[in-house]
């Protein structure tokens, strides 16, 4: 079953091969958007495309690349403009956990990779996508964050610092975009049944956690053209408990 809430909208999703990114890609496609799915793994993207086609009768556009690949990031804005002439929805779900270790124990290369993937890539994507998003009548940018951004804990230094930096960057950009059609949202999904969560808490029973698919209604709602706040900060569980889901 599909609807037309996002009919005609062009949506780019990073981290679309699994977890929250994959669920969001499916949800936006079901709502009528044309999905541009980005992730490192071609095979997983092809499986996503197969499911989107089976459910909607439309194919996604697949862009396999690593967020650490600066050259690939520099091409993405131009490629979207050449094919679609605009970008209506940008969902940045890709992230890496990195090692959970004391701050003083990080190897520089490991710390830098987390910052590169979670923070620097956010800046480079904003830089590339802002011009093509300004061509939309109502562009929406949704960034998946974490409670670690505001409540860091022992051994989570690199991840917490990268997410706190990402939130500060997005808040700054949202303020700069106030006079444009671009509106931003930061989403804290909380504990969810994802691979990253299993890596961080290997002893946790995944059956006690919500599935990534449960966040789809929130992501579709935030992608709507009639959302008006310059910046929204949404905690998924609070949103669910407030009766929106």
């Amino acid at each position: 079953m599909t609807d037309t809430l996002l009919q005609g909208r062009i949506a780019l999703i990073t981290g679309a091969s699994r977890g929250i990114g994959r669920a969001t890609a499916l949800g936006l496609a079901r709502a009528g958007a044309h999905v541009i799915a980005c992730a490192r793994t071609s095979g997983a993207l092809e499986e996503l495309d197969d499911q989107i086609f089976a459910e909607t009768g439309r194919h996604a556009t697949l862009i396999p690349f690593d967020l650490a690949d600066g050259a690939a990031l520099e091409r993405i804005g131009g490629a979207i403009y050449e094919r679609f002439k605009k970008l209506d929805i940008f969902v940045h779900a890709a992230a890496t956990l990195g090692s959970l270790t004391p701050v003083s124990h990080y190897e520089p290369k490991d710390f830098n990779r987390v910052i590169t993937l979670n923070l620097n890539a956010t800046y480079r994507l904003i830089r590339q996508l802002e011009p093509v998003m300004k061509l939309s009548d109502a562009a929406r940018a949704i960034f998946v964050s974490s409670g670690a951004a505001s409540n860091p804990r022992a051994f989570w230094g690199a991840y917490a610092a990268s997410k706190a930096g990402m939130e500060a960057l997005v808040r700054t950009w949202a303020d700069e975009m106030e006079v444009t059609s671009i509106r931003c949202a930061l989403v804290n999904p909380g504990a969810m049944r994802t691979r990253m969560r299993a890596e961080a808490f290997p002893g946790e029973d995944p059956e006690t956690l919500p599935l990534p698919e449960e966040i789809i209604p929130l992501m579709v709602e935030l992608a709507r053209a009639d959302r008006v706040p310059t910046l929204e900060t949404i905690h998924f569980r609070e949103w669910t408990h407030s009766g929106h889901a």
Side-chain angles (χ1 to χ4, degrees):
M1 295 293 293
T2 64
D3 59 45
T4 58
L5 184 65
L6 302 178
Q7 189 70 40
R9 313 305 278 178
I10 307 299
L12 183 146
I13 300 97
T14 68
S17 62
R18 58 187 173 92
I20 293 170
R22 188 179 195 278
T24 299
L26 285 168
L28 298 186
R30 290 167 184 158
H34 177 79
V35 165
I36 305 169
C38 303
R40 287 185 300 169
T41 310
S42 296
L45 287 177
E46 290 166 2
E47 291 175 5
L48 169 66
D49 182 47
D50 288 343
Q51 185 170 353
I52 288 174
F53 183 74
E55 294 189 22
T56 70
R58 303 183 309 272
H59 281 290
T61 297
L62 308 181
I63 306 181
F65 74 94
D66 190 328
L67 288 175
D69 184 347
L73 284 173
E74 289 298 309
R75 294 191 296 267
I76 194 166
I80 291 171
Y81 177 76
E82 287 178 12
R83 179 162 179 184
F84 301 105
K85 306 303 180 187
K86 66 169 184 172
L87 181 64
D88 301 298
I89 303 162
F90 167 40
V91 181
H92 188 26
T96 187
L97 178 64
S99 302
L100 299 181
T101 188
V103 171
S104 60
H105 292 193
Y106 277 107
E107 290 293 329
K109 64 179 179 62
D110 297 331
F111 186 90
N112 289 340
R113 179 166 176 79
V114 175
I115 299 299
T116 294
L117 293 175
N118 294 356
L119 177 56
N120 293 353
T122 302
Y123 142 69
R124 298 188 74 159
L125 284 164
I126 288 173
R127 177 174 176 269
Q128 280 291 308
L129 298 179
E130 179 186 303
V132 75
M133 292 185 77
K134 284 181 174 178
L135 299 175
S136 169
D137 61 336
R140 303 292 176 255
I142 305 165
F143 299 84
V144 178
S145 189
S146 167
S150 55
N151 295 293
R153 64 180 72 182
F155 313 124
W156 288 64
Y159 182 77
S162 68
K163 285 297 187 179
M166 186 201 77
E167 286 202 0
L169 194 70
V170 171
R171 292 179 187 280
T172 302
W173 184 51
D175 197 37
E176 294 166 352
M177 294 297 102
E178 185 177 10
V179 297
T180 75
S181 67
I182 299 173
R183 295 293 178 262
C184 301
L186 286 162
V187 174
N188 176 5
M192 196 160 278
R193 202 182 310 177
T194 63
R195 184 184 302 178
M196 182 182 292
R197 181 74 185 185
E199 291 173 0
F201 298 94
E204 187 175 52
D205 180 4
E207 297 298 321
T208 64
L209 304 176
L211 290 164
E213 288 75 13
E214 294 180 44
I215 206 170
I216 289 174
L218 171 58
M219 295 305 217
V220 172
E221 177 67 21
L222 291 173
R224 292 173 56 138
D226 56 358
R227 302 291 292 194
V228 296
T230 303
L231 175 67
E232 298 179 84
T233 302
I234 308 291
H235 296 266
F236 171 64
R237 289 196 173 182
E238 293 178 6
W239 184 82
T240 302
H241 293 156
S242 67
H244 287 89

